[in-house]
PDB file of all heavy atoms in Angstrom:
ATOM      1  N   THR A  12     -11.592   3.397 -16.606  1.00 94.00           N
ATOM      2  CA  THR A  12     -10.510   4.143 -17.239  1.00 94.00           C
ATOM      3  C   THR A  12     -10.958   5.590 -17.406  1.00 94.00           C
ATOM      4  O   THR A  12     -12.121   5.936 -17.171  1.00 94.00           O
ATOM      5  CB  THR A  12     -10.162   3.582 -18.626  1.00 94.00           C
ATOM      6  OG1 THR A  12     -11.212   3.955 -19.521  1.00 94.00           O
ATOM      7  CG2 THR A  12     -10.003   2.083 -18.580  1.00 94.00           C
ATOM      8  N   ILE A  13     -10.026   6.361 -17.842  1.00 93.00           N
ATOM      9  CA  ILE A  13     -10.306   7.778 -18.046  1.00 93.00           C
ATOM     10  C   ILE A  13     -11.417   7.968 -19.080  1.00 93.00           C
ATOM     11  O   ILE A  13     -12.200   8.920 -19.004  1.00 93.00           O
ATOM     12  CB  ILE A  13      -8.993   8.492 -18.455  1.00 93.00           C
ATOM     13  CG1 ILE A  13      -9.046   9.948 -18.054  1.00 93.00           C
ATOM     14  CG2 ILE A  13      -8.683   8.297 -19.922  1.00 93.00           C
ATOM     15  CD1 ILE A  13      -7.700  10.631 -18.156  1.00 93.00           C
ATOM     16  N   SER A  28      -8.591  14.075 -17.638  1.00 93.00           N
ATOM     17  CA  SER A  28      -7.171  14.133 -17.310  1.00 93.00           C
ATOM     18  C   SER A  28      -6.838  15.456 -16.616  1.00 93.00           C
ATOM     19  O   SER A  28      -6.102  15.492 -15.637  1.00 93.00           O
ATOM     20  CB  SER A  28      -6.347  13.971 -18.587  1.00 93.00           C
ATOM     21  OG  SER A  28      -4.987  14.198 -18.339  1.00 93.00           O
ATOM     22  N   ASN A  32      -5.402  15.754 -12.824  1.00 91.00           N
ATOM     23  CA  ASN A  32      -4.084  16.339 -12.570  1.00 91.00           C
ATOM     24  C   ASN A  32      -4.149  17.789 -12.101  1.00 91.00           C
ATOM     25  O   ASN A  32      -3.135  18.482 -12.094  1.00 91.00           O
ATOM     26  CB  ASN A  32      -3.222  16.227 -13.819  1.00 91.00           C
ATOM     27  CG  ASN A  32      -2.961  14.787 -14.181  1.00 91.00           C
ATOM     28  OD1 ASN A  32      -2.581  13.994 -13.348  1.00 91.00           O
ATOM     29  ND2 ASN A  32      -3.216  14.440 -15.432  1.00 91.00           N
ATOM     30  N   TYR A  54     -12.375   6.145  -9.023  1.00 93.00           N
ATOM     31  CA  TYR A  54     -11.417   6.012 -10.126  1.00 93.00           C
ATOM     32  C   TYR A  54     -10.023   6.445  -9.710  1.00 93.00           C
ATOM     33  O   TYR A  54      -9.849   7.473  -9.053  1.00 93.00           O
ATOM     34  CB  TYR A  54     -11.875   6.857 -11.325  1.00 93.00           C
ATOM     35  CG  TYR A  54     -10.771   7.095 -12.328  1.00 93.00           C
ATOM     36  CD1 TYR A  54     -10.395   6.092 -13.220  1.00 93.00           C
ATOM     37  CD2 TYR A  54     -10.093   8.311 -12.371  1.00 93.00           C
ATOM     38  CE1 TYR A  54      -9.363   6.295 -14.126  1.00 93.00           C
ATOM     39  CE2 TYR A  54      -9.068   8.527 -13.274  1.00 93.00           C
ATOM     40  CZ  TYR A  54      -8.708   7.519 -14.135  1.00 93.00           C
ATOM     41  OH  TYR A  54      -7.688   7.727 -15.031  1.00 93.00           O
ATOM     42  N   PRO A  56      -6.114   6.733 -11.647  1.00 95.00           N
ATOM     43  CA  PRO A  56      -5.395   6.540 -12.915  1.00 95.00           C
ATOM     44  C   PRO A  56      -4.416   5.374 -12.830  1.00 95.00           C
ATOM     45  O   PRO A  56      -3.821   5.124 -11.789  1.00 95.00           O
ATOM     46  CB  PRO A  56      -4.650   7.864 -13.122  1.00 95.00           C
ATOM     47  CG  PRO A  56      -4.687   8.565 -11.819  1.00 95.00           C
ATOM     48  CD  PRO A  56      -5.852   8.044 -11.060  1.00 95.00           C
ATOM     49  N   HIS A  57      -4.276   4.684 -13.894  1.00 96.00           N
ATOM     50  CA  HIS A  57      -3.351   3.569 -14.023  1.00 96.00           C
ATOM     51  C   HIS A  57      -1.931   4.133 -14.075  1.00 96.00           C
ATOM     52  O   HIS A  57      -1.548   4.784 -15.034  1.00 96.00           O
ATOM     53  CB  HIS A  57      -3.691   2.824 -15.317  1.00 96.00           C
ATOM     54  CG  HIS A  57      -2.967   1.543 -15.528  1.00 96.00           C
ATOM     55  ND1 HIS A  57      -1.596   1.457 -15.600  1.00 96.00           N
ATOM     56  CD2 HIS A  57      -3.429   0.282 -15.694  1.00 96.00           C
ATOM     57  CE1 HIS A  57      -1.259   0.192 -15.808  1.00 96.00           C
ATOM     58  NE2 HIS A  57      -2.355  -0.536 -15.869  1.00 96.00           N
ATOM     59  N   ARG A  61       0.234   6.023 -17.138  1.00 95.00           N
ATOM     60  CA  ARG A  61       0.728   7.372 -16.915  1.00 95.00           C
ATOM     61  C   ARG A  61       2.240   7.429 -17.072  1.00 95.00           C
ATOM     62  O   ARG A  61       2.800   8.369 -17.645  1.00 95.00           O
ATOM     63  CB  ARG A  61       0.322   7.815 -15.504  1.00 95.00           C
ATOM     64  CG  ARG A  61       0.867   9.153 -15.112  1.00 95.00           C
ATOM     65  CD  ARG A  61       0.399   9.551 -13.728  1.00 95.00           C
ATOM     66  NE  ARG A  61      -0.928  10.156 -13.744  1.00 95.00           N
ATOM     67  CZ  ARG A  61      -1.591  10.502 -12.640  1.00 95.00           C
ATOM     68  NH1 ARG A  61      -1.058  10.251 -11.462  1.00 95.00           N
ATOM     69  NH2 ARG A  61      -2.764  11.073 -12.726  1.00 95.00           N
TER      70      ARG A  61
ATOM     71  P    DC D   8      -7.940  -0.865 -25.957  1.00 75.44           P
ATOM     72  OP1  DC D   8      -9.244  -1.536 -25.992  1.00 75.44           O
ATOM     73  OP2  DC D   8      -7.805   0.562 -26.340  1.00 75.44           O
ATOM     74  O5'  DC D   8      -7.335  -1.017 -24.501  1.00 75.44           O
ATOM     75  C5'  DC D   8      -7.037  -2.296 -23.925  1.00 75.44           C
ATOM     76  C4'  DC D   8      -5.816  -2.142 -23.053  1.00 75.44           C
ATOM     77  O4'  DC D   8      -4.659  -2.072 -23.890  1.00 75.44           O
ATOM     78  C3'  DC D   8      -5.813  -0.858 -22.243  1.00 75.44           C
ATOM     79  O3'  DC D   8      -6.382  -1.122 -20.958  1.00 75.44           O
ATOM     80  C2'  DC D   8      -4.325  -0.512 -22.115  1.00 75.44           C
ATOM     81  C1'  DC D   8      -3.639  -1.325 -23.230  1.00 75.44           C
ATOM     82  N1   DC D   8      -2.948  -0.539 -24.299  1.00 75.44           N
ATOM     83  C2   DC D   8      -1.577  -0.703 -24.519  1.00 75.44           C
ATOM     84  O2   DC D   8      -0.949  -1.473 -23.796  1.00 75.44           O
ATOM     85  N3   DC D   8      -0.975   0.002 -25.507  1.00 75.44           N
ATOM     86  C4   DC D   8      -1.694   0.837 -26.267  1.00 75.44           C
ATOM     87  N4   DC D   8      -1.057   1.499 -27.237  1.00 75.44           N
ATOM     88  C5   DC D   8      -3.099   1.006 -26.053  1.00 75.44           C
ATOM     89  C6   DC D   8      -3.676   0.321 -25.071  1.00 75.44           C
ATOM     90  P    DG D   9      -7.609  -0.294 -20.421  1.00 75.44           P
ATOM     91  OP1  DG D   9      -8.097  -0.980 -19.227  1.00 75.44           O
ATOM     92  OP2  DG D   9      -8.507   0.016 -21.547  1.00 75.44           O
ATOM     93  O5'  DG D   9      -6.913   1.075 -19.996  1.00 75.44           O
ATOM     94  C5'  DG D   9      -5.987   1.070 -18.924  1.00 75.44           C
ATOM     95  C4'  DG D   9      -5.315   2.419 -18.875  1.00 75.44           C
ATOM     96  O4'  DG D   9      -4.558   2.612 -20.084  1.00 75.44           O
ATOM     97  C3'  DG D   9      -6.264   3.614 -18.776  1.00 75.44           C
ATOM     98  O3'  DG D   9      -5.890   4.362 -17.641  1.00 75.44           O
ATOM     99  C2'  DG D   9      -6.074   4.366 -20.099  1.00 75.44           C
ATOM    100  C1'  DG D   9      -4.665   3.951 -20.492  1.00 75.44           C
ATOM    101  N9   DG D   9      -4.406   3.962 -21.923  1.00 75.44           N
ATOM    102  C8   DG D   9      -5.256   3.587 -22.930  1.00 75.44           C
ATOM    103  N7   DG D   9      -4.734   3.695 -24.120  1.00 75.44           N
ATOM    104  C5   DG D   9      -3.446   4.158 -23.888  1.00 75.44           C
ATOM    105  C6   DG D   9      -2.407   4.468 -24.801  1.00 75.44           C
ATOM    106  O6   DG D   9      -2.423   4.377 -26.034  1.00 75.44           O
ATOM    107  N1   DG D   9      -1.256   4.920 -24.150  1.00 75.44           N
ATOM    108  C2   DG D   9      -1.137   5.051 -22.790  1.00 75.44           C
ATOM    109  N2   DG D   9       0.027   5.498 -22.341  1.00 75.44           N
ATOM    110  N3   DG D   9      -2.106   4.769 -21.924  1.00 75.44           N
ATOM    111  C4   DG D   9      -3.226   4.335 -22.543  1.00 75.44           C
ATOM    112  P    DC D  10      -6.485   5.750 -17.263  1.00 75.44           P
ATOM    113  OP1  DC D  10      -6.460   5.868 -15.805  1.00 75.44           O
ATOM    114  OP2  DC D  10      -7.740   5.953 -18.008  1.00 75.44           O
ATOM    115  O5'  DC D  10      -5.394   6.735 -17.847  1.00 75.44           O
ATOM    116  C5'  DC D  10      -4.084   6.741 -17.270  1.00 75.44           C
ATOM    117  C4'  DC D  10      -3.131   7.465 -18.183  1.00 75.44           C
ATOM    118  O4'  DC D  10      -3.284   6.950 -19.515  1.00 75.44           O
ATOM    119  C3'  DC D  10      -3.388   8.956 -18.321  1.00 75.44           C
ATOM    120  O3'  DC D  10      -2.542   9.630 -17.393  1.00 75.44           O
ATOM    121  C2'  DC D  10      -2.987   9.275 -19.753  1.00 75.44           C
ATOM    122  C1'  DC D  10      -2.791   7.915 -20.404  1.00 75.44           C
ATOM    123  N1   DC D  10      -3.491   7.748 -21.700  1.00 75.44           N
ATOM    124  C2   DC D  10      -2.800   7.940 -22.892  1.00 75.44           C
ATOM    125  O2   DC D  10      -1.617   8.296 -22.841  1.00 75.44           O
ATOM    126  N3   DC D  10      -3.430   7.759 -24.069  1.00 75.44           N
ATOM    127  C4   DC D  10      -4.712   7.373 -24.096  1.00 75.44           C
ATOM    128  N4   DC D  10      -5.301   7.182 -25.286  1.00 75.44           N
ATOM    129  C5   DC D  10      -5.450   7.162 -22.891  1.00 75.44           C
ATOM    130  C6   DC D  10      -4.810   7.368 -21.734  1.00 75.44           C
ATOM    131  P    DT D  11      -2.777  11.184 -17.150  1.00 75.44           P
ATOM    132  OP1  DT D  11      -2.142  11.499 -15.858  1.00 75.44           O
ATOM    133  OP2  DT D  11      -4.190  11.511 -17.399  1.00 75.44           O
ATOM    134  O5'  DT D  11      -1.915  11.840 -18.323  1.00 75.44           O
ATOM    135  C5'  DT D  11      -0.502  11.699 -18.308  1.00 75.44           C
ATOM    136  C4'  DT D  11       0.071  12.329 -19.561  1.00 75.44           C
ATOM    137  O4'  DT D  11      -0.561  11.755 -20.735  1.00 75.44           O
ATOM    138  C3'  DT D  11      -0.136  13.846 -19.682  1.00 75.44           C
ATOM    139  O3'  DT D  11       1.049  14.358 -20.288  1.00 75.44           O
ATOM    140  C2'  DT D  11      -1.328  13.957 -20.630  1.00 75.44           C
ATOM    141  C1'  DT D  11      -1.009  12.803 -21.578  1.00 75.44           C
ATOM    142  N1   DT D  11      -2.141  12.246 -22.366  1.00 75.44           N
ATOM    143  C2   DT D  11      -1.933  11.970 -23.696  1.00 75.44           C
ATOM    144  O2   DT D  11      -0.880  12.167 -24.271  1.00 75.44           O
ATOM    145  N3   DT D  11      -3.028  11.439 -24.353  1.00 75.44           N
ATOM    146  C4   DT D  11      -4.270  11.177 -23.802  1.00 75.44           C
ATOM    147  O4   DT D  11      -5.169  10.707 -24.496  1.00 75.44           O
ATOM    148  C5   DT D  11      -4.414  11.487 -22.402  1.00 75.44           C
ATOM    149  C7   DT D  11      -5.715  11.229 -21.719  1.00 75.44           C
ATOM    150  C6   DT D  11      -3.357  12.009 -21.756  1.00 75.44           C
ATOM    151  P    DA D  12       1.478  15.857 -20.041  1.00 75.44           P
ATOM    152  OP1  DA D  12       2.310  15.842 -18.842  1.00 75.44           O
ATOM    153  OP2  DA D  12       0.300  16.738 -20.133  1.00 75.44           O
ATOM    154  O5'  DA D  12       2.386  16.203 -21.307  1.00 75.44           O
ATOM    155  C5'  DA D  12       3.030  15.168 -22.056  1.00 75.44           C
ATOM    156  C4'  DA D  12       3.199  15.628 -23.492  1.00 75.44           C
ATOM    157  O4'  DA D  12       2.086  15.127 -24.288  1.00 75.44           O
ATOM    158  C3'  DA D  12       3.210  17.138 -23.705  1.00 75.44           C
ATOM    159  O3'  DA D  12       4.154  17.437 -24.732  1.00 75.44           O
ATOM    160  C2'  DA D  12       1.782  17.461 -24.114  1.00 75.44           C
ATOM    161  C1'  DA D  12       1.376  16.200 -24.875  1.00 75.44           C
ATOM    162  N9   DA D  12      -0.036  15.864 -24.740  1.00 75.44           N
ATOM    163  C8   DA D  12      -0.816  15.969 -23.617  1.00 75.44           C
ATOM    164  N7   DA D  12      -2.053  15.564 -23.788  1.00 75.44           N
ATOM    165  C5   DA D  12      -2.089  15.153 -25.115  1.00 75.44           C
ATOM    166  C6   DA D  12      -3.108  14.622 -25.923  1.00 75.44           C
ATOM    167  N6   DA D  12      -4.350  14.390 -25.472  1.00 75.44           N
ATOM    168  N1   DA D  12      -2.815  14.326 -27.202  1.00 75.44           N
ATOM    169  C2   DA D  12      -1.580  14.550 -27.647  1.00 75.44           C
ATOM    170  N3   DA D  12      -0.530  15.052 -26.981  1.00 75.44           N
ATOM    171  C4   DA D  12      -0.863  15.335 -25.717  1.00 75.44           C
ATOM    172  P    DA D  13       4.396  18.925 -25.190  1.00 75.44           P
ATOM    173  OP1  DA D  13       5.837  18.996 -25.499  1.00 75.44           O
ATOM    174  OP2  DA D  13       3.774  19.885 -24.250  1.00 75.44           O
ATOM    175  O5'  DA D  13       3.569  18.972 -26.556  1.00 75.44           O
ATOM    176  C5'  DA D  13       3.847  18.031 -27.585  1.00 75.44           C
ATOM    177  C4'  DA D  13       2.909  18.310 -28.747  1.00 75.44           C
ATOM    178  O4'  DA D  13       1.574  17.856 -28.396  1.00 75.44           O
ATOM    179  C3'  DA D  13       2.785  19.799 -29.107  1.00 75.44           C
ATOM    180  O3'  DA D  13       2.884  19.926 -30.517  1.00 75.44           O
ATOM    181  C2'  DA D  13       1.404  20.189 -28.573  1.00 75.44           C
ATOM    182  C1'  DA D  13       0.643  18.872 -28.706  1.00 75.44           C
ATOM    183  N9   DA D  13      -0.471  18.730 -27.772  1.00 75.44           N
ATOM    184  C8   DA D  13      -0.512  19.091 -26.444  1.00 75.44           C
ATOM    185  N7   DA D  13      -1.651  18.828 -25.853  1.00 75.44           N
ATOM    186  C5   DA D  13      -2.420  18.249 -26.858  1.00 75.44           C
ATOM    187  C6   DA D  13      -3.728  17.746 -26.874  1.00 75.44           C
ATOM    188  N6   DA D  13      -4.529  17.748 -25.817  1.00 75.44           N
ATOM    189  N1   DA D  13      -4.180  17.234 -28.046  1.00 75.44           N
ATOM    190  C2   DA D  13      -3.374  17.232 -29.103  1.00 75.44           C
ATOM    191  N3   DA D  13      -2.129  17.682 -29.208  1.00 75.44           N
ATOM    192  C4   DA D  13      -1.711  18.178 -28.039  1.00 75.44           C
ATOM    193  P    DC D  14       2.949  21.420 -31.187  1.00 75.44           P
ATOM    194  OP1  DC D  14       3.941  21.326 -32.279  1.00 75.44           O
ATOM    195  OP2  DC D  14       3.063  22.451 -30.140  1.00 75.44           O
ATOM    196  O5'  DC D  14       1.488  21.527 -31.828  1.00 75.44           O
ATOM    197  C5'  DC D  14       0.967  20.416 -32.559  1.00 75.44           C
ATOM    198  C4'  DC D  14      -0.542  20.521 -32.577  1.00 75.44           C
ATOM    199  O4'  DC D  14      -1.086  20.357 -31.259  1.00 75.44           O
ATOM    200  C3'  DC D  14      -1.094  21.859 -33.095  1.00 75.44           C
ATOM    201  O3'  DC D  14      -1.748  21.634 -34.310  1.00 75.44           O
ATOM    202  C2'  DC D  14      -2.047  22.326 -31.990  1.00 75.44           C
ATOM    203  C1'  DC D  14      -2.338  21.007 -31.276  1.00 75.44           C
ATOM    204  N1   DC D  14      -2.809  21.150 -29.869  1.00 75.44           N
ATOM    205  C2   DC D  14      -4.051  20.605 -29.536  1.00 75.44           C
ATOM    206  O2   DC D  14      -4.710  20.013 -30.400  1.00 75.44           O
ATOM    207  N3   DC D  14      -4.508  20.737 -28.256  1.00 75.44           N
ATOM    208  C4   DC D  14      -3.765  21.378 -27.350  1.00 75.44           C
ATOM    209  N4   DC D  14      -4.248  21.481 -26.108  1.00 75.44           N
ATOM    210  C5   DC D  14      -2.506  21.945 -27.677  1.00 75.44           C
ATOM    211  C6   DC D  14      -2.064  21.810 -28.932  1.00 75.44           C
ATOM    212  P    DA D  15      -2.176  22.918 -35.207  1.00 75.44           P
ATOM    213  OP1  DA D  15      -1.692  22.629 -36.574  1.00 75.44           O
ATOM    214  OP2  DA D  15      -1.852  24.192 -34.532  1.00 75.44           O
ATOM    215  O5'  DA D  15      -3.753  22.703 -35.169  1.00 75.44           O
ATOM    216  C5'  DA D  15      -4.285  21.399 -35.008  1.00 75.44           C
ATOM    217  C4'  DA D  15      -5.786  21.476 -34.725  1.00 75.44           C
ATOM    218  O4'  DA D  15      -6.003  21.521 -33.294  1.00 75.44           O
ATOM    219  C3'  DA D  15      -6.499  22.708 -35.311  1.00 75.44           C
ATOM    220  O3'  DA D  15      -7.714  22.278 -35.871  1.00 75.44           O
ATOM    221  C2'  DA D  15      -6.712  23.615 -34.093  1.00 75.44           C
ATOM    222  C1'  DA D  15      -6.870  22.575 -32.978  1.00 75.44           C
ATOM    223  N9   DA D  15      -6.482  23.061 -31.647  1.00 75.44           N
ATOM    224  C8   DA D  15      -5.331  23.717 -31.302  1.00 75.44           C
ATOM    225  N7   DA D  15      -5.254  24.018 -30.021  1.00 75.44           N
ATOM    226  C5   DA D  15      -6.436  23.519 -29.496  1.00 75.44           C
ATOM    227  C6   DA D  15      -6.963  23.510 -28.187  1.00 75.44           C
ATOM    228  N6   DA D  15      -6.329  24.042 -27.143  1.00 75.44           N
ATOM    229  N1   DA D  15      -8.169  22.941 -28.002  1.00 75.44           N
ATOM    230  C2   DA D  15      -8.799  22.408 -29.057  1.00 75.44           C
ATOM    231  N3   DA D  15      -8.412  22.350 -30.330  1.00 75.44           N
ATOM    232  C4   DA D  15      -7.207  22.927 -30.478  1.00 75.44           C
TER     233       DA D  15
END
Side-chain angles (χ1 to χ4, degrees):
Chain A
T12 73
I13 207 168
S28 172
N32 297 311
Y54 163 77
H57 188 300
R61 175 178 277 175

